Amino acid sequence: MGRHRRPLAPAQGPTLQARRKLAAGLAGASALVATALALAVDPAAPPAPDRPTTGVPAPQAAP
């Protein structure tokens, strides 16, 4: 029978820190690109003329 060896433990030191730095960097870059695109890209169409331009509905008279 072959000898049983202890399985190698995954690296926890610098490799884990490098992964966390990479993940944080990618998340930051993604947020920066999303912000730049939101500011640079114009909407495809103007709002409909029967809709208010603000998110608040127009006040209506009481019945």
Side-chain angles (χ1 to χ4, degrees):
M1 282 179 76
R3 297 181 69 182
H4 295 284
R5 293 187 182 178
R6 184 178 193 180
L8 296 174
Q12 295 292 329
T15 305
L16 186 59
Q17 290 174 352
R19 287 181 187 167
R20 287 182 179 165
K21 283 184 180 180
L22 178 64
L26 289 175
S30 173
L32 184 64
V33 168
T35 302
L37 281 174
L39 294 174
V41 175
D42 291 329
D50 61 338
R51 303 265 175 124
T53 56
T54 63
V56 180
Q60 296 179 357

